[in-house]
Amino acid sequence: MKKNVNQVYIIAVALLFIASCSEDVLDVKNLSVYNPEDVWNDPTLSNAYLVDLYASTFTGWPLNDGNNADESVGILGQGFIQTTNGSFKHWPFTNIRKVNVLLNEIDGGNLPESSKRTIKAQAHFMRAFHYFKTVVFHGGVPIIKVPQLLTDDLMVPRNSTLECFEFILEDLDIAISGLPDRFTGGDFGRVDKGAAMAFKGRVLLYMASPQFNPSNPYNNAFWQTAYEANRAALTFLEAQGYGLMPNYSDIWMESANKEVVLATVYRNPVKVNGRQEHCVRPISQSRNCTGGDQPIWKLVTSFPMKDGAKPGESNNYTYDVQRFWENRDPRFYEIVVYNGSLYELGGAKGRRQYTDIQLGGIDDGFGPGSNFGRSGFYTKKGIQIDLPIEQAELNDVDWVEIRFAEVLFNLAESANETGRSNEAFQILKQIRERAGIDPGTDANFGLKSEMTRDEMRKAIYDEKFIEFAFEGKRFWDLRRARLLHTQIDGMRKFGLQAKLKEGLNPISGREFMPEDFDYEVTELFNTGQTEMYTPDTYYFFPIHRDEIERNPNLLQNKGWDEGTFDPTIN
C-alpha cells in the first residue's frame, strides 16, 4: 500500500512541473500516462520533483516579521500565541515526506550516478532546512527518515533537541559532500556547497545559543564548533569569489551578485511578488494592500551618525529630533523613507514622500484622523521604485536567504564567544566600511576599541539590527539570545508625526523639504494591546494541540498545557 501511495504522489508532483519549470517539459510525452517508476529514470521528471521540493521549502521576503520585535509597526500581544491557533507553529512533515520519497526511491531508477548524487544532496539539505526551522520553533520533534503514508498520523514520540540537531548536521554533511562547489547561470538559486556550509554555520550558532543552552549560554563547547564551521564557510566562499558588495543597495538590485550565497529567484512574469511590494509601498502608490514593514522610531534612532557614533554622542555631527535625517549612516537612506525625502515611486522624478497628514493625506499620513498603523516612515529595501501602481505586484527582486554578510556576522559572534574578540572587531569594521561610515582618525569606524566580551556581543547584535533590517533576523536573534523578555516584553512602540510649520500653506504648490516640518515622537497604540508581550515561554513555541491529540506519543513543551517536554539542550 505504501508504494502505491508514494507512486500516486510522484505523478501528481510531476504534473505540477508543467506550470512551474522550463520549456523542456513540453517536449516529453503526456505526463499523465507516465509509470511512476519512470520519474527516477527520466532527468526531466526527476528535476520536476526536485523543483517542487524547492518551491515547498524556500519562501520569499518575510513581511511584517519585525512587528514581533522592535523593528516595525505591530504589537505581539498577550494571548496571540496559543496552543489552539496557528500563530508561531511549524509542522512541515508533509514536505519532509516529499524529501523522504525522493531519498527512498531515486536509487531504484537508472539516472546517472552523478545526477543521483547531486539530487540527493539537495534533498538532504532541504530536509535539514525543514527540521532546523521546526526545531527553532518547538525544540525536538520526531525524526522521520522514511516516507510515511499520506494518512499516517506520525504515531512516534519526539526526539530530543540534541538528537534533532545531530540529525540536521548529518544531513548537511551529506549535502556538502555531494554538492558542486557553486551553481551558476541557469542553475543559480539551487543549493550548492557554499550555501550548505554557510547554513551549517547558522545551525551551529543556534545550537550553541542561550535559547537552547540556558544553563550554560556562552561557555558551552558548541561555540567552538560553530566558530570552526563558520570560519570554514567563510574561507570556502571567499575562494569561490563571494564577498561584500561595494554598494549596500546593490545587494538586492543586482541578481546573482557576489554577496548572494542562496536566493529564491524571482523573474517577471514567471515568478513575481516575493517582496509583496504592493503591501510595503504607501497606499497612494500601491494596490490591494499596504502598511507592511513600516519602521518605528526605535529602528530609526538605532542607525548611527555618519561617523559611526550613536545619535547625540558624536563629536563630529550634531543630532536633533527636528533634523533627525541629517548625517546618518548611509544605510539609513537606503532603508528608511522619511517625511519629505525623495521616493520616486512609479518613476516619478522628484517625487517626495510626505507623512504629514496635510500633504500625505489620510492614505499616507500619520497623525490625527490617519489610518491605523502608520508610523511616519516607510522602507525602500527590496522595492522596485520604477514599477507603476498597476504593476506593484510584479516585483521580481530575489529573496536572499543567505548572504555573505550573515556568514561574517555568524563568524563574529562565535569568535567573540571563543575568546577571539579582535577577530569579531575586524569583521564589524568590514561591515561599517562597506556601509560608508567615516573611518575616523583611529580607523575604527566609530566602534569602541578594546570592548569586553559582553560589549562586543551587544555591538554585534546592534550592528546586525541595522544591516539586516526587514530581512527577518531581529526577532529571531533576540529570541536566540534570550533577550525577548528584557528588550521586548512590555515595550511600547512609537512613530514620528510630522506637521507642516505654522505659516506654510499646504496647497501653495511649492515643494516642501523635511526641514519645513515640526516633528513629535508619538506613541502608536493607545487602545487595545499597547505593550509587547514576550514571556519566557516564547523561547519555545507550543506544538499545536491538534497534533498532540492526534498523536498521544507527542509531549507538549513545558509551559504550555501542562506540557512536560524539555526542548533545551542544557
Side-chain angles (χ1 to χ4, degrees):
M1 180 63 180
K2 179 186 292 186
K3 181 68 173 179
N4 291 338
V5 172
N6 289 340
Q7 289 176 340
V8 169
Y9 181 77
I10 291 171
I11 287 179
V13 169
L15 289 171
L16 290 175
F17 187 50
I18 294 177
S20 63
C21 290
S22 69
E23 298 175 353
D24 294 341
V25 74
L26 302 178
D27 298 327
V28 303
K29 63 184 179 180
N30 186 353
L31 292 175
S32 64
V33 300
Y34 257 62
N35 185 322
E37 294 179 357
D38 288 345
V39 172
W40 310 118
N41 297 325
D42 185 278
T44 300
L45 295 178
S46 60
N47 188 58
Y49 194 97
L50 187 64
V51 167
D52 180 69
L53 287 184
Y54 271 89
S56 61
T57 300
F58 301 110
T59 59
W61 288 73
L63 180 68
N64 292 329
D65 190 84
N67 291 2
N68 303 318
D70 50 359
E71 187 174 63
S72 59
V73 173
I75 295 290
L76 181 55
Q78 189 169 2
F80 185 75
I81 301 175
Q82 300 178 17
T83 60
T84 54
N85 65 21
S87 299
F88 290 96
K89 310 296 189 300
H90 191 68
W91 203 250
F93 283 95
T94 297
N95 291 326
I96 289 170
R97 181 184 175 281
K98 295 179 187 178
V99 176
N100 287 336
V101 166
L102 183 153
L103 293 174
N104 188 65
E105 304 211 358
I106 191 172
D107 283 335
N110 58 19
L111 294 174
E113 287 303 316
S114 59
S115 296
K116 289 181 183 179
R117 177 181 172 88
T118 303
I119 291 172
K120 288 193 294 184
Q122 292 170 79
H124 277 288
F125 178 93
M126 285 185 270
R127 187 168 67 180
F129 193 91
H130 284 300
Y131 264 100
F132 173 67
K133 185 174 181 179
T134 311
V135 169
V136 168
F137 270 66
H138 305 297
V141 293
I143 294 175
I144 307 295
K145 298 182 179 181
V146 295
Q148 305 289 300
L149 291 174
L150 291 176
T151 55
D152 277 358
D153 292 323
L154 297 176
M155 294 296 184
V156 291
R158 298 174 70 172
N159 287 82
S160 71
T161 299
L162 180 59
E163 288 172 332
C164 286
F165 269 116
E166 290 171 344
F167 177 57
I168 292 165
L169 293 170
E170 176 185 335
D171 261 352
L172 289 176
D173 285 339
I174 294 171
I176 291 168
S177 67
L179 289 168
D181 288 350
R182 188 171 186 176
F183 278 122
T184 58
D187 288 324
F188 170 70
R190 292 183 184 269
V191 178
D192 54 27
K193 184 175 292 187
M197 292 180 71
F199 186 70
K200 181 179 179 181
R202 181 194 291 180
V203 169
L204 285 164
L205 197 73
Y206 270 82
M207 187 176 181
S209 71
Q211 178 188 358
F212 293 97
N213 302 275
S215 65
N216 187 15
Y218 291 116
N219 294 310
N220 62 74
F222 300 128
W223 282 108
Q224 177 62 28
T225 309
Y227 171 80
E228 292 169 357
N230 282 293
R231 168 50 66 187
L234 181 69
T235 300
F236 180 84
L237 290 169
E238 288 179 331
Q240 294 298 315
Y242 290 93
L244 294 175
M245 286 289 286
N247 298 314
Y248 181 76
S249 62
D250 290 343
I251 300 168
W252 300 276
M253 295 301 110
E254 293 185 15
S255 181
N257 65 70
K258 70 176 184 177
E259 190 156 341
V260 178
V261 178
L262 178 62
T264 300
V265 179
Y266 290 86
R267 291 292 178 269
N268 186 11
V270 177
K271 187 176 183 180
V272 297
N273 208 28
R275 179 60 175 116
Q276 298 185 59
E277 179 169 327
H278 67 302
C279 294
V280 179
R281 287 183 172 207
I283 197 170
S284 67
Q285 293 291 315
S286 187
R287 54 185 295 164
N288 305 323
C289 183
T290 189
D293 287 349
Q294 290 183 63
I296 61 172
W297 187 239
K298 168 64 184 298
L299 174 60
V300 171
T301 56
S302 295
F303 286 88
M305 305 302 289
K306 183 67 165 57
D307 60 0
K310 294 180 180 179
E313 298 181 10
S314 171
N315 294 323
N316 302 301
Y317 303 107
T318 59
Y319 173 78
D320 186 273
V321 172
Q322 299 305 318
R323 302 183 77 89
F324 67 92
W325 64 89
E326 293 183 335
N327 301 312
R328 303 299 291 272
D329 176 340
R331 289 171 294 189
F332 173 88
Y333 307 103
E334 299 296 337
I335 296 173
V336 178
V337 178
Y338 54 93
N339 179 65
S341 63
L342 281 173
Y343 195 25
E344 298 175 327
L345 287 170
K349 296 299 181 184
R351 179 189 180 275
R352 292 187 178 274
Q353 180 65 52
Y354 295 107
T355 62
D356 164 71
I357 197 67
Q358 295 183 84
L359 293 166
I362 195 168
D363 286 338
D364 297 351
F366 169 49
S370 67
N371 288 335
F372 178 79
R374 299 287 183 265
S375 69
F377 300 98
Y378 296 95
T379 186
K380 62 176 68 171
K381 180 178 276 191
I383 300 299
Q384 291 179 303
I385 63 173
D386 57 324
L387 291 176
I389 296 174
E390 298 76 19
Q391 298 178 17
E393 294 172 272
L394 299 182
N395 177 299
D396 63 355
V397 174
D398 294 347
W399 161 240
V400 184
E401 174 64 41
I402 304 175
R403 61 182 174 100
F404 187 81
E406 182 195 340
V407 180
L408 287 174
F409 273 97
N410 292 347
L411 179 59
E413 191 171 342
S414 55
N416 183 56
E417 305 304 346
T418 55
R420 301 173 175 91
S421 60
N422 184 62
E423 187 172 351
F425 187 69
Q426 297 304 318
I427 289 172
L428 289 186
K429 286 171 62 175
Q430 285 184 58
I431 295 293
R432 288 198 161 195
E433 181 177 19
R434 189 275 293 279
I437 289 176
D438 299 338
T441 57
D442 58 2
N444 284 341
F445 299 90
L447 294 165
K448 177 185 174 182
S449 59
E450 299 182 1
M451 284 185 270
T452 66
R453 183 188 191 189
D454 290 347
E455 288 174 330
M456 178 60 73
R457 184 184 305 129
K458 185 177 186 305
I460 291 170
Y461 289 145
D462 289 348
E463 194 70 28
K464 193 174 181 184
F465 183 29
I466 299 164
E467 174 75 19
F468 285 89
F470 303 108
E471 295 180 57
K473 298 291 186 186
R474 179 64 170 177
F475 174 75
W476 305 98
D477 281 343
L478 293 177
R479 184 170 176 263
R480 175 172 57 83
R482 285 188 174 260
L483 294 174
L484 289 179
H485 63 292
T486 59
Q487 292 200 26
I488 303 298
D489 194 42
M491 173 188 178
R492 304 177 82 92
K493 293 191 173 182
F494 295 84
L496 191 69
Q497 183 176 325
K499 185 177 181 181
L500 196 63
K501 287 184 176 179
E502 190 173 348
L504 296 179
N505 184 357
I507 59 173
S508 64
R510 61 162 285 192
E511 181 180 54
F512 294 102
M513 306 298 287
E515 57 268 25
D516 291 325
F517 300 80
D518 293 318
Y519 298 95
E520 180 182 357
V521 178
T522 306
E523 189 166 356
L524 297 179
F525 302 99
N526 295 306
T527 60
Q529 296 280 356
T530 60
E531 296 182 351
M532 296 286 281
Y533 179 75
T534 54
D536 287 356
T537 52
Y538 282 15
Y539 291 121
F540 289 99
F541 301 127
I543 293 174
H544 200 290
R545 187 182 296 174
D546 288 352
E547 300 295 342
I548 300 291
E549 292 176 351
R550 275 194 288 264
N551 179 3
N553 293 314
L554 284 179
L555 300 178
Q556 184 61 273
N557 283 334
K558 289 181 177 180
W560 300 94
D561 286 354
E562 301 180 352
T564 59
F565 186 87
D566 183 358
T568 65
I569 296 176
N570 64 58

